[in-house]
Amino acid sequence: MTATAGTGATDEFRAARDFLLTHREDWAAAHEGFRWPRPARFNWALDWFDVIARGNDRTALHIVEEDGTTVRLSFAELSERSDRVANWLRGRGVRAEDRVLVMLGNQAELWETMLAAMKLRAVVIPATPLLGPADLRDRVERGRVRHVVVRASDAEKFAEVPGRYTRVAVGGAAEGWQRYEDAYEAPAVFVPDGPTHSDDPLMLYFTSGTTAHPKLVEHTHTSYPVGHLATMYWIGLKPGDVHLNISSPGWAKHAWSNLFAPWNAEATVFLFNYTRFDAARLMAEMDKARVTTFCAPPTVWRMLIQADLSQLRTRPREAVAAGEPLNPEVIEQVRRAWGVTIRDGFGQTETAVQVSNSPGQPLKAGSMGRPSPGYRIELLDPVSGAPGADEGEIAIDMSDHPVGLMTGYHGDADRTAEAMAGGYYRTGDIGARDEDG
């Protein structure tokens, strides 16, 4: 196990987390009373995950493959595995603030690597395995990547990606590549080589967009780990929950709901890997795993309602959707079949969930809810740019520097200044606010 003990930062984080759990169905109290924890030093993997993992044999990660193969890892096991991986990566030259491109599927090694990189204070660049050599060249070059951790089946893509970077392959290694599996032989006790400051960089996301080059969204050791307390609140997660979020690795939503939000709540992350969507099989696996909280994009919800929803015997307590507004007929079909109402939320790669329908709120058809705890949301008049409009650009008031907001667009001061002009982070999306907020 790790040499780390709980710290003042751990206590501060836990107090904020527990406040949201206490008021999980009282939005007014949560929004009024919540204050972001702001420790000067914080490493989520060391100061939170390892602390809750100590002696904890509850399942942290449960993955089921299409062929029925199952991986179950407890919090304690993942803590130790990530210690070994961190020690091994350090032996391969990974240092604080080195950029590590991680391109893995929904497999245990992804979570081990994420935790290990945090412990090393390295900067993770998540990447979807769907990327080809051209996109990878851009990421390696602009991201100044020093190390890559990828599936062995994707290693050949890097033959066309120049650069001096350590190559680590998961699931077998070709010539010139390090075998990830060797990491399990590394020492089981990890000792950090220095403190983690809360504003140290943690993640760089290449966003999709209409511009020629994706933007690089920079997050810190607090903006995503701590920021996703708001996402935990929106989903309605509680300790002991089994959470299924359908999202592809490499995208920000995967970190939101398959890493930070569930483990902030001390819940189990459950995944079912499939090549082709099969609603009946998905529901069968949800039943076996006893999924209590379920998040899926609208495309999955629309496919699910084509099946017989009554096949799911153990209905989730909470159901949410993100990415785009869900049409009312889908929400109604699920409500009739499962007795739960799908709740929408709004956020971006640059933030955690900013506005949402959290548990216990009155729901209005077509509404994405009210501001998340920790966020003050303004609508900026489209003509004058002044706050307080009934309809306008959705913006975050930055006067109290909400934790759940990116540092900026890495290497692009002009774009960052434009997005954060006048004391507001501007989302670029238009919204309207009714008399109930």
Side-chain angles (χ1 to χ4, degrees):
M1 292 295 291
T2 176
T4 319
T7 63
T10 306
D11 295 338
E12 189 179 348
F13 181 84
R14 187 187 298 278
R17 193 280 305 256
D18 289 353
F19 177 85
L20 292 180
L21 291 177
T22 299
H23 299 288
R24 64 184 298 277
E25 293 194 3
D26 186 345
W27 173 85
H31 194 262
E32 176 66 27
F34 178 72
R35 298 295 179 268
W36 292 110
R38 299 178 188 272
R41 295 178 175 180
F42 185 68
N43 185 303
W44 186 80
L46 295 168
D47 296 322
W48 179 250
F49 187 86
D50 279 356
V51 173
I52 63 173
R54 193 167 301 117
N56 187 347
D57 293 328
R58 286 193 301 106
T59 302
L61 182 64
H62 180 192
I63 303 173
V64 177
E65 301 294 341
E66 209 162 26
D67 65 2
T69 307
T70 299
V71 172
R72 277 182 186 268
L73 292 171
S74 70
F75 282 93
E77 287 171 324
L78 262 176
S79 176
E80 181 185 305
R81 279 182 174 226
S82 59
D83 275 359
R84 292 182 188 273
V85 173
N87 282 325
W88 185 79
L89 288 173
R90 186 152 60 188
R92 311 276 84 69
V94 179
R95 298 290 180 262
E97 299 205 16
D98 277 2
R99 311 287 176 75
V100 184
L101 186 140
V102 179
M103 190 170 82
L104 298 171
N106 277 322
Q107 55 198 103
E109 295 88 351
L110 172 61
W111 283 264
E112 294 166 5
T113 302
M114 294 297 290
L115 290 168
M118 283 184 230
K119 292 177 180 185
L120 291 166
R121 294 181 291 137
V123 179
V124 177
I125 299 178
T128 168
L130 298 174
L131 294 176
D135 287 319
L136 290 170
R137 275 197 300 274
D138 178 52
R139 278 155 174 72
V140 167
E141 183 179 336
R142 283 204 293 144
R144 302 203 309 278
V145 169
R146 297 285 303 275
H147 318 272
V148 301
V149 181
V150 305
R151 300 183 302 192
S153 57
D154 288 316
E156 63 185 30
K157 294 178 181 178
F158 289 85
E160 301 175 48
V161 182
R164 295 180 63 189
Y165 49 87
T166 313
R167 299 162 192 247
V168 177
V170 176
E175 186 179 349
W177 287 76
Q178 308 269 351
R179 285 182 74 254
Y180 180 94
E181 291 70 25
D182 292 342
Y184 300 130
E185 303 302 318
V189 175
F190 175 78
V191 179
D193 59 6
T196 305
H197 298 281
S198 59
D199 58 356
D200 284 346
L202 171 63
M203 304 179 93
L204 274 178
Y205 272 102
F206 282 73
T207 66
S208 55
T210 53
T211 55
H213 289 292
K215 297 174 285 191
L216 273 75
V217 175
E218 181 175 285
H219 281 285
T220 68
H221 276 269
T222 51
S223 64
Y224 252 22
V226 176
H228 285 302
L229 286 172
T231 305
M232 178 198 80
Y233 187 79
W234 161 51
I235 297 169
L237 285 156
K238 298 192 290 189
D241 273 340
V242 177
H243 181 59
L244 169 58
N245 168 59
I246 296 180
S247 179
S248 298
W251 301 110
K253 187 62 171 63
H254 194 274
W256 283 35
S257 298
N258 280 337
L259 178 63
F260 296 119
W263 286 348
N264 281 348
E266 299 177 68
T268 297
V269 173
F270 171 71
L271 294 127
F272 170 54
N273 285 324
Y274 53 82
T275 48
R276 181 174 293 178
F277 183 80
D278 179 339
R281 175 73 190 277
L282 175 66
M283 287 188 280
E285 296 299 342
M286 289 172 68
D287 261 331
K288 287 183 204 169
R290 305 187 74 81
V291 167
T292 56
T293 56
F294 180 41
C295 179
T299 50
V300 168
W301 283 114
R302 286 193 284 265
M303 288 190 288
L304 261 175
I305 64 167
Q306 305 302 317
D308 177 7
L309 292 175
S310 68
Q311 292 175 79
L312 185 66
R313 297 184 300 278
T314 307
R315 279 74 190 270
R317 184 189 71 248
E318 311 291 351
V320 295
E324 62 183 84
L326 198 56
N327 33 329
E329 56 268 28
V330 176
I331 295 172
E332 180 56 25
Q333 283 197 49
V334 173
R335 190 192 62 76
R336 283 203 308 266
W338 291 355
V340 296
T341 303
I342 303 169
R343 297 180 283 100
D344 277 322
F346 169 79
Q348 298 175 309
T349 302
E350 290 88 341
T351 70
V353 68
Q354 302 170 32
V355 180
S356 70
N357 289 295
S358 54
Q361 278 195 65
L363 298 175
K364 293 189 177 183
S367 166
M368 62 187 182
R370 292 185 285 193
S372 299
Y375 287 101
R376 291 167 57 194
I377 302 297
E378 292 287 356
L379 298 180
L380 305 182
D381 185 274
V383 177
S384 67
D390 291 330
E391 184 171 339
E393 184 178 9
I394 302 166
I396 297 173
D397 184 338
M398 293 171 54
S399 58
D400 61 350
H401 297 284
V403 169
L405 175 63
M406 67 172 180
T407 306
Y409 296 113
H410 184 79
D412 197 335
D414 290 344
R415 187 172 269 170
T416 300
E418 183 182 347
M420 298 183 175
Y424 295 95
Y425 164 69
R426 298 150 191 269
T427 65
D429 290 310
I430 302 298
R433 193 193 313 251
D434 68 13
E435 63 278 4
D436 296 319

